[in-house]
């Protein structure tokens, strides 16, 4: 078996792309999208009809177009993957709990109108304090969430305490920060991004948290192989292809021991403790802020494309 086939024995593989053909080629169970991936996709001729339909059907209400576009992509993706798709809330709402709740409900309602059950949708929300509180409310309503832009154990702990369905620690962006800060190439188990996911996974296992861990934002296949056994891994098409081109052995590196004695969780994290602990990590603080800015910038670019298309109708 190639490495991708071996990896699928231990881990649920998720496609990190908005490209339908890549999903068909690599047969992942789930798929994730974000504003950057949707922007990249709609620039291609084969995906422009989705954008054109969303604009045409909602041309009198500009604020509706983006939501309909996201759901259109999600609906098409779910025709390909057998599992779930993650649809992201506007990163501009990352510090507004109620607006995030409202947007999550709106997206689920749109999927419902398309007759897609909510069990197949994950609402993707930035792992700010406000975002985590919004996810806690949505989860109580049966709306499952994927907490993104997660770079630290304090963020992961707060998400687990909120009983969210899934978190997406960003392995590659953590690696990028330490590589730049220390001027060092990291490989294998020494990679700070890999170590971060392992620490989260071990914490969840130790205290019996059920929140799923999905490693994300990989820079190389070494990072992926070091996390074999993680609940899920979301992988870009180019790295999926590299995994299919190698038959080097893949062994399980992470496991949740069902028989191990689980400790009682510590007291629930307060807002002031969360903010202080996040502030203690320069990497997590910088990468969270940077990630929100980048997603907002790509959303603005996509909105400009929508405006141009509306003006041409």
């Amino acid at each position: 078996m190639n490495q991708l086939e071996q990896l699928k024995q231990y881990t649920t593989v998720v496609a990190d792309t908005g490209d339908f053909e890549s999903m068909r080629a690599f047969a992942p169970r789930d798929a994730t999208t974000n504003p950057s991936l949707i922007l990249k996709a709609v620039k291609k001729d084969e995906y422009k009809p989705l954008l054109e339909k969303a604009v045409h059907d909602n041309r009198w209400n500009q604020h509706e177009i983006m939501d309909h576009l996201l759901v259109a992509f999600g609906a098409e993706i779910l025709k390909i993957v057998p599992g779930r798709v993650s649809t992201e809330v506007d990163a501009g709402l990352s510090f507004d709990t109620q607006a995030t709740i409202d947007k999550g409900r709106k997206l689920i309602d749109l999927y419902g109108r398309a007759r897609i059950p909510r069990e197949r949708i994950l609402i993707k929300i930035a792992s700010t304090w406000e975002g985590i509180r919004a996810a806690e409310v949505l989860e109580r309503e049966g709306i499952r969430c994927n907490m993104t832009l997660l770079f630290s154990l304090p963020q992961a702990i707060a998400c687990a305490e909120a009983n969210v369905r899934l978190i997406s620690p960003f392995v590659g962006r953590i690696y990028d920060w330490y590589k730049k800060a220390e001027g060092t190439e990291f490989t294998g188990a020494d990679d700070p991004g890999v170590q971060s996911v392992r620490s989260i996974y071990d914490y969840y296992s130790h205290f019996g948290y059920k929140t799923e861990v999905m490693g994300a934002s990989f820079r190389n296949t070494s990072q992926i192989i070091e996390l074999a056994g993680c609940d899920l891994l979301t992988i870009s098409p180019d790295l999926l292809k590299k995994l299919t081109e190698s038959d080097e052995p893949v062994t399980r590196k992470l496991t949740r021991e069902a028989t191990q004695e689980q400790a009682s969780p510590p007291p629930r994290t307060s807002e002031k403790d969360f903010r202080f602990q996040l502030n203690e990590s320069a990497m997590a603080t910088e990468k969270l802020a940077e990630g929100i800015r980048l997603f907002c910038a790509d959303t603005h670019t996509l909105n400009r494309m929508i405006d141009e298309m509306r003006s041409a109708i």
Side-chain angles (χ1 to χ4, degrees), residues 203-223:
Y203 187 95
Y204 280 12
S205 298
H206 182 66
F207 291 111
Y209 287 116
K210 302 302 182 185
T211 296
E212 299 170 34
V213 180
M214 180 170 71
S217 173
F218 293 105
R219 297 293 180 257
N220 53 63
T221 57
S222 171
Q223 294 172 334

Side-chain angles (χ1 to χ4, degrees), residues 27-166:
R29 193 196 74 177
D30 295 353
T32 59
T33 63
N34 61 45
S36 302
L37 294 174
I38 297 295
L39 176 62
K40 183 178 179 181
V42 297
K43 289 180 178 178
K44 298 180 179 180
D45 289 341
E46 58 264 43
Y47 300 115
K48 280 186 178 177
L50 290 175
L51 176 58
E52 291 168 351
K53 186 176 188 307
V55 172
H56 183 271
D57 292 350
N58 303 278
R59 59 189 181 279
W60 306 119
N61 190 341
Q62 181 183 6
H63 301 295
E64 293 283 321
I65 295 173
M66 182 68 76
D67 292 342
H68 282 264
L69 177 64
L70 295 175
V71 171
F73 262 90
E76 290 299 316
I77 287 169
L78 290 175
K79 295 176 183 178
I80 302 169
V81 302
R84 306 170 295 188
V85 66
S86 292
T87 297
E88 191 146 350
V89 168
D90 181 356
L93 305 179
S94 295
F95 302 104
D96 189 329
T97 297
Q98 188 57 54
T100 299
I101 293 170
D102 293 342
K103 184 64 74 175
R105 290 169 176 164
K106 174 69 178 302
L107 292 170
I108 285 294
D109 179 63
L110 289 176
Y111 275 113
R113 294 185 207 175
R115 298 188 177 183
I116 296 172
R118 62 176 57 188
E119 291 77 17
R120 300 195 68 194
I121 310 302
L122 291 168
I123 299 300
K124 209 170 177 185
I125 300 170
S127 299
T128 58
W129 177 261
E130 294 80 2
I132 296 168
R133 299 283 68 79
E136 186 171 31
V137 172
L138 293 172
E139 289 280 357
R140 287 200 297 263
E141 297 176 2
I143 299 173
R144 298 170 176 175
C145 298
N146 170 0
M147 304 309 294
T148 188
L149 294 176
L150 193 146
F151 303 97
S152 67
L153 183 59
Q155 288 173 290
I157 292 172
C159 289
E161 291 171 346
N163 293 313
V164 302
R165 176 54 58 99
L166 182 146

